[in-house]
Amino acid sequence: MRPFDYGRAQSVQEALDRGGPFLAGGTTLIDLMKLDVEQPAQVTDIGPLPLGEIREVDGELHIGALASMTAVAEHPLVVARYAALREALLAGASQQIRNMASMGGNVMQRTRCPYFRDVSFTACNKRTPGSGCGAREGHHRKMAVLGTSDTCIATHASDAAVALVAYDARLTLQGPAGEREVSLQAFYRLPGETPHLEHDLREGELIVALVLPAPVSGSGVYLKVRDRESYEFALSSAAAVVATENGVISAARLALGGVGTVPWRSAEAEALLVGQPATPATFEAAAHAALAGAQPLPQNAFKVPLTRRVIVRALMQAAGQIDPAGNTLGGHPTTQGGQA
């Protein structure tokens, strides 16, 4: 780690005056500084700021950017209303990291692509624009199949962001020009020709809160498939919310992780679900629609059929047709497509 100037802000304005990068839990920034991926001349510690409150305002849930993953996962309103977010948080890290990591930092975490995180690899457009994408010709088993470009196939790492996108979360940002709000889905940028520009955070801005609208009716599920059971990033994941009336889907949300360069909301799948019977055939059609635009490479082509199965199983679970172990409920048969 290289020398840097450290300052501890006591107010939001003091943090803005000093400027970033901003240090909260440190579970991403410090790692990248140790690896020499990030080499800031200064760091502003925002730990003392009063941004950890979780409260309901006019039916919406406001989560302070410094609220820990643990605090959010255990909050009664999250447990009662946003089950997919709770499950994503619990699946996203060890207990120790959840106790330290902030929600603002979680949505800002950067990719785990080894070509980005290891500076001995010179080809990484995300780290050094114009240098190439080492993963395309190298090891790309865990890389993205949705939202990729010729310049970058790095997968977005956050589990929580997938669920937050499914719930239409918004970010409240504070900066030199004042306060503004942006949807989390719109906040993330596809790599295109500029993979080093990952989000819409402007110079000097600070995330101060996340806002969750009142949830749609229905049950929420986060299903994550990974190489090992604990402390591992997703090969494929799905945040699903399904509401039904008399066996017909009245509302549906679907977002994917482990397969996109950003947390991937599938409007195509949602459109196919609403108004259709809650059957395995409907869920399988939605799964195929969600992956229609996938552009896999040889080593990660398995993610396409895997993710279809993940989607079907998540939707069946959210619709109350199977339990988390995959056992059928209410006489609804599972299909091969419903097995993750």
Side-chain angles (χ1 to χ4, degrees):
M1 185 184 292
R2 305 191 182 204
F4 59 92
D5 178 65
Y6 170 86
R8 192 168 171 86
Q10 301 299 321
S11 68
V12 171
Q13 190 57 55
E14 184 180 347
L16 295 177
D17 290 343
R18 178 175 168 82
F22 300 112
L23 175 67
T27 58
T28 293
L29 178 60
I30 298 300
D31 278 353
L32 294 179
M33 290 171 65
K34 289 178 178 178
L35 295 170
D36 259 358
V37 175
E38 297 276 5
Q39 301 175 15
Q42 70 165 31
V43 170
T44 301
D45 188 343
I46 58 173
L49 304 189
L51 298 177
E53 186 179 11
I54 305 171
R55 59 195 176 97
E56 185 178 18
V57 180
D58 296 329
E60 297 187 321
L61 188 64
H62 288 234
I63 301 171
L66 293 182
S68 70
M69 293 172 66
T70 295
V72 175
E74 295 179 352
H75 195 277
L77 289 178
V78 174
V79 174
R81 299 181 184 177
Y82 306 96
L85 176 58
R86 171 178 165 78
E87 292 172 5
L89 288 165
L90 295 178
S94 67
Q95 181 69 61
Q96 295 92 331
I97 290 178
R98 294 198 302 270
N99 291 343
M100 287 294 298
S102 70
M103 291 299 294
N106 186 285
V107 300
M108 285 289 290
Q109 68 177 290
R110 306 192 72 185
T111 183
R112 294 285 166 162
C113 175
Y115 296 92
F116 168 74
R117 294 174 66 86
D118 187 342
V119 295
S120 67
F121 293 114
T122 57
C124 176
N125 290 314
K126 191 177 285 291
R127 192 179 65 244
T128 308
S131 63
C133 177
R136 277 198 161 272
E137 301 300 325
H139 186 68
H140 53 258
R141 176 176 175 269
K142 294 188 176 183
M143 297 298 106
V145 298
L146 292 168
T148 61
S149 70
D150 289 341
T151 64
C152 186
I153 57 172
T155 309
H156 195 275
S158 173
D159 289 287
V162 177
L164 288 165
V165 165
Y167 283 122
D168 282 331
R170 310 187 304 273
L171 297 179
T172 302
L173 310 174
Q174 185 75 38
E179 186 175 283
R180 68 185 180 104
E181 195 172 69
V182 60
S183 78
L184 183 59
Q185 185 177 4
F187 179 73
Y188 293 117
R189 294 185 178 183
L190 294 172
E193 297 299 314
T194 56
H196 60 292
L197 302 177
E198 300 176 357
H199 47 69
D200 186 35
L201 194 68
R202 298 170 186 170
E203 183 69 26
E205 281 189 328
L206 174 67
I207 300 174
V208 295
L210 298 85
V211 181
L212 287 170
V216 298
S217 60
S219 178
V221 168
Y222 185 73
L223 179 61
K224 178 178 181 179
V225 174
R226 45 195 166 181
D227 281 330
R228 59 186 181 186
E229 181 60 26
S230 63
Y231 196 49
E232 180 64 284
F233 294 90
L235 288 174
S236 176
S237 68
V241 181
V242 176
T244 61
E245 296 179 7
N246 300 318
V248 176
I249 300 168
S250 57
R253 302 279 179 81
L254 180 67
L256 307 177
V259 292
T261 54
V262 298
W264 195 266
R265 178 84 175 266
S266 180
E268 298 84 0
E270 293 173 357
L272 280 179
L273 289 166
V274 176
Q276 298 301 310
T279 63
T282 297
F283 299 147
E284 287 166 4
H288 278 269
L291 275 298
Q295 295 183 312
L297 294 171
Q299 295 171 16
N300 66 3
F302 75 96
K303 285 192 172 190
V304 176
L306 172 65
T307 303
R308 289 186 186 127
R309 295 186 180 97
V310 169
I311 292 170
V312 171
R313 182 161 177 169
L315 290 170
M316 291 181 72
Q317 188 176 332
Q321 296 182 3
I322 59 174
D323 65 17
N327 301 310
T328 59
L329 301 171
H332 296 281
T334 59
T335 68
Q336 184 178 2
Q339 301 304 310

